[in-house]
Amino acid sequence: MKNALSIVLLGAALTACGGSDNDNTPAVPVTPPVVVTPPVTPVTDPVTVASQAVAAQAGLAVIAGASADETVYDVAADIGDTWRITFDNAKKTFSVKVLSTQFGLVDRSGSYTAVTTGNLTTYTGTDLNLTVDARTRLLTGTIKLGNTSANVSGTGYAATDVSKLVGNYIFLGAMRNASNGAFPFNPKGSLRVAADGSAQLCNGGVFNAQGACTAVSPQLEAENASLTLVRDAARGLIIARQGQQDFGIVHVHAGDRGLALFIDRYGRNQENVLRVGTIVAARQQKIGTEIAGSYACAAPGISAKIVVAGSTATITNNTVGKTHAETITINKLGLGVQAVDFDGIAVLKDPADVPADYSMFMPVSSSMAVEFSTDRSYMGTCLKN
């Protein structure tokens, strides 16, 4: 950008013909310089503009660090914990502060190297591989505390007003027993948040015109859970409560497609067994051609690449080195005659698999999606390249 120029207007010096240097001709006043302020270049990237608008409408605040050199992110770990990750961009160090843990984990810190490609910055350190999208302040990746490794997803924003989270969302989730990983459960369905912070989680269903949780197909039994979202001012976190106990911690992401919620799920069931996991909820809306592109996906023990082009997804399992093609059906839940309208979900199906095996692909923002396959008991995150 060219430097702005200061414009100085000088008066013309008039001298009488034949006059001397010491005459009494009054000096012509000099006009002060005009300072031209360089224009502020507006943000024109559509993803950044949309994300900032979502954050402003929801009253989200950037999580502040101890100095201007620090950037901070609150994340939900898929093991059922909430951690705060801070990068010191001057010292090239990171720290992980445990805000909530079901496993007795403790804080740790270390150094990192960073590589930026386009809008994505990847931070690499000992037992740490995290990527941040500068446009939306989204963070996702893997990190290890103690002997426990976890996939994490979160945000650089904090919600300050639960009433501004109002809306309809769809969700995918994965949870299990904290003690041994037994009895995996993968909920999917609709979430409705009201202005007073009350929420309804409709597993296996949608809300009808009367607001009741109803099954989306005869093969699913809809289950409704009543939650209340409250702000813990001391920790700056949103807590979801079910009755008298915690259901989990809600991290709010300002995606360019609308708000998304990363829920650190923990709580005891009727048998007093501690259950842990994550739920990801995205504002419900139709999927279009915007999901096309290449995604790097990660789930426990698996690394994969998904390339979406038209009605075909090419899947490469990096772990075993195999590639195959799958068909894509958008805005449907299920397959064939059993498929029902369900905006916001794409179904990926390998024709060679049995009918019951397929995966659900849910975009959260332009840079991230979550994916769950019916033949697995865990959920993966996909980062768009």
Side-chain angles (χ1 to χ4, degrees):
M1 179 181 294
K2 294 181 178 179
N3 292 328
L5 300 179
S6 296
I7 302 173
V8 180
L9 302 179
L10 299 178
L14 300 180
T15 305
C17 182
S20 65
D21 290 341
N22 58 357
D23 63 16
N24 295 322
T25 304
V28 177
V30 176
T31 304
V34 177
V35 179
V36 179
T37 303
V40 177
T41 304
V43 176
T44 58
D45 174 73
V47 174
T48 303
V49 171
S51 174
Q52 290 178 351
V54 169
Q57 185 176 23
L60 304 184
V62 175
I63 304 173
S67 72
D69 294 323
E70 292 186 348
T71 53
V72 185
Y73 304 86
D74 283 354
V75 301
D78 62 359
I79 60 172
D81 277 14
T82 284
W83 304 335
R84 176 164 291 173
I85 299 172
T86 300
F87 298 107
D88 188 314
N89 303 298
K91 298 177 181 177
K92 303 300 181 185
T93 58
F94 72 88
S95 64
V96 183
K97 181 177 178 59
V98 177
L99 301 182
S100 174
T101 181
Q102 314 308 314
F103 302 95
L105 300 178
V106 297
D107 305 348
R108 81 174 183 94
S109 59
S111 59
Y112 71 81
T113 58
V115 176
T116 299
T117 304
N119 298 296
L120 302 179
T121 299
T122 298
Y123 298 84
T124 304
T126 302
D127 294 326
L128 176 141
N129 189 286
L130 302 170
T131 299
V132 171
D133 186 339
R135 301 169 298 176
T136 63
R137 296 183 182 272
L138 166 77
L139 180 147
T140 187
T142 58
I143 192 168
K144 188 176 183 180
L145 287 188
N147 295 320
T148 303
S149 183
N151 283 17
V152 300
S153 295
T155 172
Y157 288 108
T160 58
D161 186 350
V162 296
S163 71
K164 294 185 177 180
L165 306 183
V166 61
N168 294 326
Y169 303 79
I170 58 173
F171 69 86
L172 297 175
M175 56 193 67
R176 67 207 70 82
N177 288 355
S179 60
N180 55 12
F183 299 102
F185 175 56
N186 298 97
K188 55 185 176 296
S190 305
L191 170 66
R192 174 174 288 179
V193 179
D196 63 357
S198 61
Q200 297 294 318
L201 192 74
C202 179
N203 177 43
V206 295
F207 296 99
N208 62 18
Q210 291 72 43
C213 173
T214 57
V216 294
S217 76
Q219 287 72 37
L220 293 174
E221 180 180 352
E223 300 174 296
N224 185 65
S226 296
L227 306 175
T228 303
L229 306 185
V230 295
R231 185 167 186 269
D232 181 342
R235 292 185 292 172
L237 299 173
I238 301 296
I239 310 299
R241 296 188 60 81
Q242 186 176 22
Q244 299 303 310
Q245 70 168 348
D246 284 0
F247 178 87
I249 297 174
V250 182
H251 306 286
V252 184
H253 168 51
D256 57 304
R257 293 174 56 86
L259 290 177
L261 310 177
F262 298 102
I263 303 175
D264 162 20
R265 169 72 178 111
Y266 59 89
R268 295 186 176 275
N269 62 13
Q270 294 88 341
E271 289 78 34
N272 199 34
V273 175
L274 180 62
R275 303 279 288 169
V276 295
T278 51
I279 295 172
V280 179
R283 275 286 171 85
Q284 186 161 21
Q285 57 190 298
K286 285 185 178 296
I287 296 174
T289 58
E290 73 278 5
I291 66 169
S294 178
Y295 298 80
C297 300
I302 293 179
S303 168
K305 178 182 178 181
I306 298 178
V307 178
V308 176
S311 59
T312 301
T314 303
I315 316 294
T316 301
N317 187 326
N318 299 324
T319 306
V320 297
K322 292 184 178 181
T323 298
H324 68 278
E326 299 189 359
T327 59
I328 302 174
T329 305
I330 62 172
N331 302 311
K332 296 284 186 180
L333 190 61
L335 294 170
V337 296
Q338 296 180 352
V340 295
D341 293 336
F342 199 81
D343 291 348
I345 292 287
V347 172
L348 279 57
K349 172 64 178 172
D350 183 349
D353 284 343
V354 299
D357 287 350
Y358 59 91
S359 66
M360 289 168 282
F361 188 85
M362 184 183 78
V364 173
S365 66
S366 286
S367 59
M368 181 192 176
V370 295
E371 183 264 344
F372 167 73
S373 295
T374 56
D375 61 347
R376 301 200 304 267
S377 60
Y378 46 79
M379 188 168 60
T381 57
C382 297
L383 193 65
K384 197 171 187 179
N385 303 134

PDB file of all heavy atoms in Angstrom, residues 43-55 119-120 133-138 157 253-258 290 364-368 384:
ATOM      1  N   VAL A  43     -12.628  -5.781   5.611  1.00  0.00           N
ATOM      2  CA  VAL A  43     -12.477  -7.222   5.454  1.00  0.00           C
ATOM      3  C   VAL A  43     -13.450  -7.679   4.373  1.00  0.00           C
ATOM      4  O   VAL A  43     -14.655  -7.414   4.451  1.00  0.00           O
ATOM      5  CB  VAL A  43     -12.780  -7.950   6.781  1.00  0.00           C
ATOM      6  CG1 VAL A  43     -12.712  -9.457   6.581  1.00  0.00           C
ATOM      7  CG2 VAL A  43     -11.791  -7.522   7.848  1.00  0.00           C
ATOM      8  N   THR A  44     -12.937  -8.328   3.351  1.00  0.00           N
ATOM      9  CA  THR A  44     -13.790  -8.735   2.246  1.00  0.00           C
ATOM     10  C   THR A  44     -13.918 -10.246   2.116  1.00  0.00           C
ATOM     11  O   THR A  44     -14.753 -10.721   1.352  1.00  0.00           O
ATOM     12  CB  THR A  44     -13.243  -8.176   0.916  1.00  0.00           C
ATOM     13  OG1 THR A  44     -11.899  -8.637   0.734  1.00  0.00           O
ATOM     14  CG2 THR A  44     -13.269  -6.659   0.916  1.00  0.00           C
ATOM     15  N   ASP A  45     -13.081 -11.008   2.839  1.00  0.00           N
ATOM     16  CA  ASP A  45     -13.203 -12.453   2.769  1.00  0.00           C
ATOM     17  C   ASP A  45     -14.589 -12.858   3.271  1.00  0.00           C
ATOM     18  O   ASP A  45     -14.957 -12.551   4.414  1.00  0.00           O
ATOM     19  CB  ASP A  45     -12.133 -13.116   3.636  1.00  0.00           C
ATOM     20  CG  ASP A  45     -12.310 -14.618   3.700  1.00  0.00           C
ATOM     21  OD1 ASP A  45     -12.020 -15.295   2.705  1.00  0.00           O
ATOM     22  OD2 ASP A  45     -12.773 -15.107   4.741  1.00  0.00           O
ATOM     23  N   PRO A  46     -15.392 -13.550   2.464  1.00  0.00           N
ATOM     24  CA  PRO A  46     -16.783 -13.820   2.853  1.00  0.00           C
ATOM     25  C   PRO A  46     -16.916 -14.689   4.090  1.00  0.00           C
ATOM     26  O   PRO A  46     -17.854 -14.510   4.877  1.00  0.00           O
ATOM     27  CB  PRO A  46     -17.371 -14.505   1.609  1.00  0.00           C
ATOM     28  CG  PRO A  46     -16.186 -15.013   0.841  1.00  0.00           C
ATOM     29  CD  PRO A  46     -15.089 -14.040   1.104  1.00  0.00           C
ATOM     30  N   VAL A  47     -15.999 -15.635   4.288  1.00  0.00           N
ATOM     31  CA  VAL A  47     -16.067 -16.481   5.479  1.00  0.00           C
ATOM     32  C   VAL A  47     -15.795 -15.655   6.729  1.00  0.00           C
ATOM     33  O   VAL A  47     -16.497 -15.763   7.739  1.00  0.00           O
ATOM     34  CB  VAL A  47     -15.078 -17.655   5.373  1.00  0.00           C
ATOM     35  CG1 VAL A  47     -15.035 -18.445   6.675  1.00  0.00           C
ATOM     36  CG2 VAL A  47     -15.465 -18.570   4.210  1.00  0.00           C
ATOM     37  N   THR A  48     -14.770 -14.794   6.674  1.00  0.00           N
ATOM     38  CA  THR A  48     -14.455 -13.929   7.814  1.00  0.00           C
ATOM     39  C   THR A  48     -15.609 -12.988   8.129  1.00  0.00           C
ATOM     40  O   THR A  48     -16.006 -12.828   9.288  1.00  0.00           O
ATOM     41  CB  THR A  48     -13.183 -13.111   7.529  1.00  0.00           C
ATOM     42  OG1 THR A  48     -12.103 -14.004   7.222  1.00  0.00           O
ATOM     43  CG2 THR A  48     -12.800 -12.260   8.728  1.00  0.00           C
ATOM     44  N   VAL A  49     -16.162 -12.367   7.092  1.00  0.00           N
ATOM     45  CA  VAL A  49     -17.271 -11.424   7.286  1.00  0.00           C
ATOM     46  C   VAL A  49     -18.465 -12.140   7.919  1.00  0.00           C
ATOM     47  O   VAL A  49     -19.074 -11.642   8.877  1.00  0.00           O
ATOM     48  CB  VAL A  49     -17.671 -10.784   5.940  1.00  0.00           C
ATOM     49  CG1 VAL A  49     -18.962  -9.985   6.092  1.00  0.00           C
ATOM     50  CG2 VAL A  49     -16.555  -9.880   5.429  1.00  0.00           C
ATOM     51  N   ALA A  50     -18.813 -13.307   7.397  1.00  0.00           N
ATOM     52  CA  ALA A  50     -19.964 -14.044   7.926  1.00  0.00           C
ATOM     53  C   ALA A  50     -19.723 -14.486   9.364  1.00  0.00           C
ATOM     54  O   ALA A  50     -20.618 -14.388  10.220  1.00  0.00           O
ATOM     55  CB  ALA A  50     -20.253 -15.250   7.046  1.00  0.00           C
ATOM     56  N   SER A  51     -18.511 -14.964   9.662  1.00  0.00           N
ATOM     57  CA  SER A  51     -18.199 -15.416  11.014  1.00  0.00           C
ATOM     58  C   SER A  51     -18.244 -14.260  12.009  1.00  0.00           C
ATOM     59  O   SER A  51     -18.803 -14.392  13.116  1.00  0.00           O
ATOM     60  CB  SER A  51     -16.815 -16.071  11.036  1.00  0.00           C
ATOM     61  OG  SER A  51     -16.428 -16.399  12.358  1.00  0.00           O
ATOM     62  N   GLN A  52     -17.677 -13.121  11.638  1.00  0.00           N
ATOM     63  CA  GLN A  52     -17.697 -11.966  12.538  1.00  0.00           C
ATOM     64  C   GLN A  52     -19.123 -11.477  12.784  1.00  0.00           C
ATOM     65  O   GLN A  52     -19.453 -11.037  13.888  1.00  0.00           O
ATOM     66  CB  GLN A  52     -16.824 -10.856  11.967  1.00  0.00           C
ATOM     67  CG  GLN A  52     -15.336 -11.168  12.000  1.00  0.00           C
ATOM     68  CD  GLN A  52     -14.483 -10.081  11.377  1.00  0.00           C
ATOM     69  OE1 GLN A  52     -14.979  -9.144  10.761  1.00  0.00           O
ATOM     70  NE2 GLN A  52     -13.169 -10.196  11.533  1.00  0.00           N
ATOM     71  N   ALA A  53     -19.969 -11.566  11.764  1.00  0.00           N
ATOM     72  CA  ALA A  53     -21.368 -11.167  11.934  1.00  0.00           C
ATOM     73  C   ALA A  53     -22.088 -12.107  12.891  1.00  0.00           C
ATOM     74  O   ALA A  53     -22.883 -11.669  13.737  1.00  0.00           O
ATOM     75  CB  ALA A  53     -22.067 -11.137  10.574  1.00  0.00           C
ATOM     76  N   VAL A  54     -21.819 -13.396  12.774  1.00  0.00           N
ATOM     77  CA  VAL A  54     -22.413 -14.376  13.685  1.00  0.00           C
ATOM     78  C   VAL A  54     -21.961 -14.119  15.118  1.00  0.00           C
ATOM     79  O   VAL A  54     -22.764 -14.141  16.064  1.00  0.00           O
ATOM     80  CB  VAL A  54     -22.047 -15.806  13.239  1.00  0.00           C
ATOM     81  CG1 VAL A  54     -22.411 -16.827  14.318  1.00  0.00           C
ATOM     82  CG2 VAL A  54     -22.742 -16.161  11.933  1.00  0.00           C
ATOM     83  N   ALA A  55     -20.659 -13.856  15.298  1.00  0.00           N
ATOM     84  CA  ALA A  55     -20.126 -13.591  16.638  1.00  0.00           C
ATOM     85  C   ALA A  55     -20.746 -12.342  17.244  1.00  0.00           C
ATOM     86  O   ALA A  55     -21.100 -12.320  18.438  1.00  0.00           O
ATOM     87  CB  ALA A  55     -18.606 -13.453  16.576  1.00  0.00           C
ATOM     88  N   ASN A 119      -5.429 -19.583   5.171  1.00  0.00           N
ATOM     89  CA  ASN A 119      -6.064 -19.135   6.411  1.00  0.00           C
ATOM     90  C   ASN A 119      -5.814 -20.074   7.591  1.00  0.00           C
ATOM     91  O   ASN A 119      -6.255 -19.795   8.697  1.00  0.00           O
ATOM     92  CB  ASN A 119      -7.577 -19.006   6.206  1.00  0.00           C
ATOM     93  CG  ASN A 119      -7.936 -17.980   5.151  1.00  0.00           C
ATOM     94  OD1 ASN A 119      -7.677 -16.796   5.317  1.00  0.00           O
ATOM     95  ND2 ASN A 119      -8.513 -18.432   4.051  1.00  0.00           N
ATOM     96  N   LEU A 120      -5.126 -21.188   7.341  1.00  0.00           N
ATOM     97  CA  LEU A 120      -4.939 -22.203   8.373  1.00  0.00           C
ATOM     98  C   LEU A 120      -3.517 -22.173   8.919  1.00  0.00           C
ATOM     99  O   LEU A 120      -2.554 -22.165   8.151  1.00  0.00           O
ATOM    100  CB  LEU A 120      -5.246 -23.589   7.820  1.00  0.00           C
ATOM    101  CG  LEU A 120      -6.647 -23.812   7.241  1.00  0.00           C
ATOM    102  CD1 LEU A 120      -6.777 -25.235   6.713  1.00  0.00           C
ATOM    103  CD2 LEU A 120      -7.720 -23.532   8.290  1.00  0.00           C
ATOM    104  N   ASP A 133      -8.190 -21.961  12.213  1.00  0.00           N
ATOM    105  CA  ASP A 133      -8.677 -21.192  11.070  1.00  0.00           C
ATOM    106  C   ASP A 133      -8.805 -19.743  11.511  1.00  0.00           C
ATOM    107  O   ASP A 133      -9.651 -19.414  12.349  1.00  0.00           O
ATOM    108  CB  ASP A 133     -10.030 -21.732  10.605  1.00  0.00           C
ATOM    109  CG  ASP A 133     -10.521 -21.067   9.326  1.00  0.00           C
ATOM    110  OD1 ASP A 133     -10.055 -19.956   9.004  1.00  0.00           O
ATOM    111  OD2 ASP A 133     -11.385 -21.649   8.646  1.00  0.00           O
ATOM    112  N   ALA A 134      -7.975 -18.872  10.958  1.00  0.00           N
ATOM    113  CA  ALA A 134      -7.966 -17.472  11.376  1.00  0.00           C
ATOM    114  C   ALA A 134      -9.281 -16.776  11.078  1.00  0.00           C
ATOM    115  O   ALA A 134      -9.625 -15.790  11.725  1.00  0.00           O
ATOM    116  CB  ALA A 134      -6.813 -16.733  10.673  1.00  0.00           C
ATOM    117  N   ARG A 135     -10.039 -17.273  10.094  1.00  0.00           N
ATOM    118  CA  ARG A 135     -11.286 -16.612   9.704  1.00  0.00           C
ATOM    119  C   ARG A 135     -12.383 -16.769  10.744  1.00  0.00           C
ATOM    120  O   ARG A 135     -13.188 -15.858  10.952  1.00  0.00           O
ATOM    121  CB  ARG A 135     -11.770 -17.172   8.368  1.00  0.00           C
ATOM    122  CG  ARG A 135     -10.775 -16.997   7.222  1.00  0.00           C
ATOM    123  CD  ARG A 135     -11.205 -17.798   6.012  1.00  0.00           C
ATOM    124  NE  ARG A 135     -11.253 -19.226   6.300  1.00  0.00           N
ATOM    125  CZ  ARG A 135     -11.668 -20.146   5.437  1.00  0.00           C
ATOM    126  NH1 ARG A 135     -12.079 -19.777   4.233  1.00  0.00           N
ATOM    127  NH2 ARG A 135     -11.662 -21.424   5.766  1.00  0.00           N
ATOM    128  N   THR A 136     -12.428 -17.910  11.410  1.00  0.00           N
ATOM    129  CA  THR A 136     -13.528 -18.203  12.328  1.00  0.00           C
ATOM    130  C   THR A 136     -13.082 -18.455  13.765  1.00  0.00           C
ATOM    131  O   THR A 136     -13.929 -18.709  14.629  1.00  0.00           O
ATOM    132  CB  THR A 136     -14.295 -19.446  11.844  1.00  0.00           C
ATOM    133  OG1 THR A 136     -13.401 -20.580  11.860  1.00  0.00           O
ATOM    134  CG2 THR A 136     -14.833 -19.259  10.439  1.00  0.00           C
ATOM    135  N   ARG A 137     -11.768 -18.426  14.028  1.00  0.00           N
ATOM    136  CA  ARG A 137     -11.213 -18.734  15.350  1.00  0.00           C
ATOM    137  C   ARG A 137     -11.568 -20.165  15.785  1.00  0.00           C
ATOM    138  O   ARG A 137     -11.757 -20.451  16.973  1.00  0.00           O
ATOM    139  CB  ARG A 137     -11.677 -17.727  16.410  1.00  0.00           C
ATOM    140  CG  ARG A 137     -11.180 -16.308  16.151  1.00  0.00           C
ATOM    141  CD  ARG A 137     -11.595 -15.336  17.249  1.00  0.00           C
ATOM    142  NE  ARG A 137     -11.160 -13.992  16.952  1.00  0.00           N
ATOM    143  CZ  ARG A 137      -9.977 -13.476  17.284  1.00  0.00           C
ATOM    144  NH1 ARG A 137      -9.111 -14.219  17.946  1.00  0.00           N
ATOM    145  NH2 ARG A 137      -9.665 -12.241  16.957  1.00  0.00           N
ATOM    146  N   LEU A 138     -11.625 -21.052  14.832  1.00  0.00           N
ATOM    147  CA  LEU A 138     -11.859 -22.467  15.091  1.00  0.00           C
ATOM    148  C   LEU A 138     -10.533 -23.168  15.329  1.00  0.00           C
ATOM    149  O   LEU A 138      -9.564 -22.929  14.607  1.00  0.00           O
ATOM    150  CB  LEU A 138     -12.565 -23.107  13.895  1.00  0.00           C
ATOM    151  CG  LEU A 138     -12.583 -24.642  13.866  1.00  0.00           C
ATOM    152  CD1 LEU A 138     -13.630 -25.162  14.835  1.00  0.00           C
ATOM    153  CD2 LEU A 138     -12.859 -25.152  12.464  1.00  0.00           C
ATOM    154  N   TYR A 157     -13.697 -17.934  21.052  1.00  0.00           N
ATOM    155  CA  TYR A 157     -14.748 -17.053  21.575  1.00  0.00           C
ATOM    156  C   TYR A 157     -15.352 -17.604  22.868  1.00  0.00           C
ATOM    157  O   TYR A 157     -15.363 -18.820  23.092  1.00  0.00           O
ATOM    158  CB  TYR A 157     -15.888 -16.909  20.567  1.00  0.00           C
ATOM    159  CG  TYR A 157     -15.575 -16.084  19.344  1.00  0.00           C
ATOM    160  CD1 TYR A 157     -15.409 -16.690  18.100  1.00  0.00           C
ATOM    161  CD2 TYR A 157     -15.462 -14.700  19.422  1.00  0.00           C
ATOM    162  CE1 TYR A 157     -15.138 -15.940  16.965  1.00  0.00           C
ATOM    163  CE2 TYR A 157     -15.189 -13.943  18.293  1.00  0.00           C
ATOM    164  CZ  TYR A 157     -15.035 -14.564  17.074  1.00  0.00           C
ATOM    165  OH  TYR A 157     -14.766 -13.811  15.949  1.00  0.00           O
ATOM    166  N   HIS A 253     -19.022 -21.753  18.940  1.00  0.00           N
ATOM    167  CA  HIS A 253     -18.201 -21.456  17.766  1.00  0.00           C
ATOM    168  C   HIS A 253     -18.969 -20.555  16.809  1.00  0.00           C
ATOM    169  O   HIS A 253     -20.141 -20.814  16.506  1.00  0.00           O
ATOM    170  CB  HIS A 253     -17.824 -22.768  17.083  1.00  0.00           C
ATOM    171  CG  HIS A 253     -17.217 -22.612  15.720  1.00  0.00           C
ATOM    172  ND1 HIS A 253     -16.159 -21.768  15.473  1.00  0.00           N
ATOM    173  CD2 HIS A 253     -17.525 -23.183  14.519  1.00  0.00           C
ATOM    174  CE1 HIS A 253     -15.839 -21.844  14.190  1.00  0.00           C
ATOM    175  NE2 HIS A 253     -16.656 -22.674  13.596  1.00  0.00           N
ATOM    176  N   ALA A 254     -18.314 -19.492  16.342  1.00  0.00           N
ATOM    177  CA  ALA A 254     -18.938 -18.573  15.384  1.00  0.00           C
ATOM    178  C   ALA A 254     -18.582 -19.012  13.969  1.00  0.00           C
ATOM    179  O   ALA A 254     -17.713 -18.443  13.312  1.00  0.00           O
ATOM    180  CB  ALA A 254     -18.476 -17.138  15.628  1.00  0.00           C
ATOM    181  N   GLY A 255     -19.240 -20.048  13.499  1.00  0.00           N
ATOM    182  CA  GLY A 255     -19.005 -20.503  12.138  1.00  0.00           C
ATOM    183  C   GLY A 255     -19.666 -19.581  11.138  1.00  0.00           C
ATOM    184  O   GLY A 255     -20.635 -18.886  11.451  1.00  0.00           O
ATOM    185  N   ASP A 256     -19.156 -19.569   9.920  1.00  0.00           N
ATOM    186  CA  ASP A 256     -19.759 -18.710   8.902  1.00  0.00           C
ATOM    187  C   ASP A 256     -21.129 -19.224   8.476  1.00  0.00           C
ATOM    188  O   ASP A 256     -21.911 -18.487   7.873  1.00  0.00           O
ATOM    189  CB  ASP A 256     -18.843 -18.595   7.686  1.00  0.00           C
ATOM    190  CG  ASP A 256     -18.509 -19.949   7.081  1.00  0.00           C
ATOM    191  OD1 ASP A 256     -17.988 -20.813   7.809  1.00  0.00           O
ATOM    192  OD2 ASP A 256     -18.793 -20.147   5.887  1.00  0.00           O
ATOM    193  N   ARG A 257     -21.456 -20.487   8.800  1.00  0.00           N
ATOM    194  CA  ARG A 257     -22.787 -21.032   8.528  1.00  0.00           C
ATOM    195  C   ARG A 257     -23.748 -20.780   9.689  1.00  0.00           C
ATOM    196  O   ARG A 257     -24.908 -21.196   9.647  1.00  0.00           O
ATOM    197  CB  ARG A 257     -22.695 -22.537   8.271  1.00  0.00           C
ATOM    198  CG  ARG A 257     -21.972 -22.923   6.999  1.00  0.00           C
ATOM    199  CD  ARG A 257     -21.796 -24.427   6.893  1.00  0.00           C
ATOM    200  NE  ARG A 257     -23.061 -25.158   6.984  1.00  0.00           N
ATOM    201  CZ  ARG A 257     -23.859 -25.403   5.951  1.00  0.00           C
ATOM    202  NH1 ARG A 257     -23.534 -24.968   4.745  1.00  0.00           N
ATOM    203  NH2 ARG A 257     -24.972 -26.085   6.105  1.00  0.00           N
ATOM    204  N   GLY A 258     -23.287 -20.111  10.722  1.00  0.00           N
ATOM    205  CA  GLY A 258     -24.106 -19.880  11.911  1.00  0.00           C
ATOM    206  C   GLY A 258     -23.411 -20.438  13.141  1.00  0.00           C
ATOM    207  O   GLY A 258     -22.323 -21.024  13.061  1.00  0.00           O
ATOM    208  N   GLU A 290     -21.612 -26.211  -1.420  1.00  0.00           N
ATOM    209  CA  GLU A 290     -20.500 -25.636  -0.661  1.00  0.00           C
ATOM    210  C   GLU A 290     -19.676 -26.683   0.079  1.00  0.00           C
ATOM    211  O   GLU A 290     -18.571 -26.402   0.541  1.00  0.00           O
ATOM    212  CB  GLU A 290     -21.015 -24.588   0.336  1.00  0.00           C
ATOM    213  CG  GLU A 290     -21.744 -25.132   1.552  1.00  0.00           C
ATOM    214  CD  GLU A 290     -23.203 -25.465   1.312  1.00  0.00           C
ATOM    215  OE1 GLU A 290     -23.645 -25.369   0.149  1.00  0.00           O
ATOM    216  OE2 GLU A 290     -23.899 -25.825   2.279  1.00  0.00           O
ATOM    217  N   VAL A 364     -19.918 -27.988   9.851  1.00  0.00           N
ATOM    218  CA  VAL A 364     -20.068 -27.062  10.974  1.00  0.00           C
ATOM    219  C   VAL A 364     -19.795 -25.630  10.512  1.00  0.00           C
ATOM    220  O   VAL A 364     -20.461 -24.690  10.915  1.00  0.00           O
ATOM    221  CB  VAL A 364     -19.101 -27.452  12.115  1.00  0.00           C
ATOM    222  CG1 VAL A 364     -19.116 -26.421  13.227  1.00  0.00           C
ATOM    223  CG2 VAL A 364     -19.473 -28.829  12.655  1.00  0.00           C
ATOM    224  N   SER A 365     -18.787 -25.485   9.655  1.00  0.00           N
ATOM    225  CA  SER A 365     -18.456 -24.194   9.064  1.00  0.00           C
ATOM    226  C   SER A 365     -17.796 -24.489   7.722  1.00  0.00           C
ATOM    227  O   SER A 365     -17.712 -25.651   7.304  1.00  0.00           O
ATOM    228  CB  SER A 365     -17.511 -23.395   9.965  1.00  0.00           C
ATOM    229  OG  SER A 365     -16.252 -24.046  10.061  1.00  0.00           O
ATOM    230  N   SER A 366     -17.317 -23.445   7.032  1.00  0.00           N
ATOM    231  CA  SER A 366     -16.666 -23.673   5.749  1.00  0.00           C
ATOM    232  C   SER A 366     -15.374 -24.452   5.884  1.00  0.00           C
ATOM    233  O   SER A 366     -14.872 -24.992   4.903  1.00  0.00           O
ATOM    234  CB  SER A 366     -16.380 -22.329   5.071  1.00  0.00           C
ATOM    235  OG  SER A 366     -17.561 -21.763   4.566  1.00  0.00           O
ATOM    236  N   SER A 367     -14.816 -24.508   7.081  1.00  0.00           N
ATOM    237  CA  SER A 367     -13.533 -25.183   7.246  1.00  0.00           C
ATOM    238  C   SER A 367     -13.613 -26.483   8.015  1.00  0.00           C
ATOM    239  O   SER A 367     -12.610 -27.195   8.130  1.00  0.00           O
ATOM    240  CB  SER A 367     -12.540 -24.253   7.950  1.00  0.00           C
ATOM    241  OG  SER A 367     -13.039 -23.870   9.210  1.00  0.00           O
ATOM    242  N   MET A 368     -14.779 -26.859   8.532  1.00  0.00           N
ATOM    243  CA  MET A 368     -14.836 -28.050   9.376  1.00  0.00           C
ATOM    244  C   MET A 368     -16.144 -28.796   9.226  1.00  0.00           C
ATOM    245  O   MET A 368     -17.203 -28.203   9.001  1.00  0.00           O
ATOM    246  CB  MET A 368     -14.646 -27.670  10.853  1.00  0.00           C
ATOM    247  CG  MET A 368     -14.668 -28.867  11.788  1.00  0.00           C
ATOM    248  SD  MET A 368     -14.778 -28.418  13.523  1.00  0.00           S
ATOM    249  CE  MET A 368     -14.916 -30.033  14.276  1.00  0.00           C
ATOM    250  N   LYS A 384     -11.271 -28.865   6.283  1.00  0.00           N
ATOM    251  CA  LYS A 384     -11.219 -28.627   4.843  1.00  0.00           C
ATOM    252  C   LYS A 384      -9.899 -27.971   4.482  1.00  0.00           C
ATOM    253  O   LYS A 384      -9.473 -26.989   5.097  1.00  0.00           O
ATOM    254  CB  LYS A 384     -12.388 -27.730   4.426  1.00  0.00           C
ATOM    255  CG  LYS A 384     -12.670 -27.735   2.934  1.00  0.00           C
ATOM    256  CD  LYS A 384     -13.976 -27.005   2.652  1.00  0.00           C
ATOM    257  CE  LYS A 384     -14.387 -27.124   1.194  1.00  0.00           C
ATOM    258  NZ  LYS A 384     -15.672 -26.431   0.939  1.00  0.00           N
TER     259      LYS A 384
END
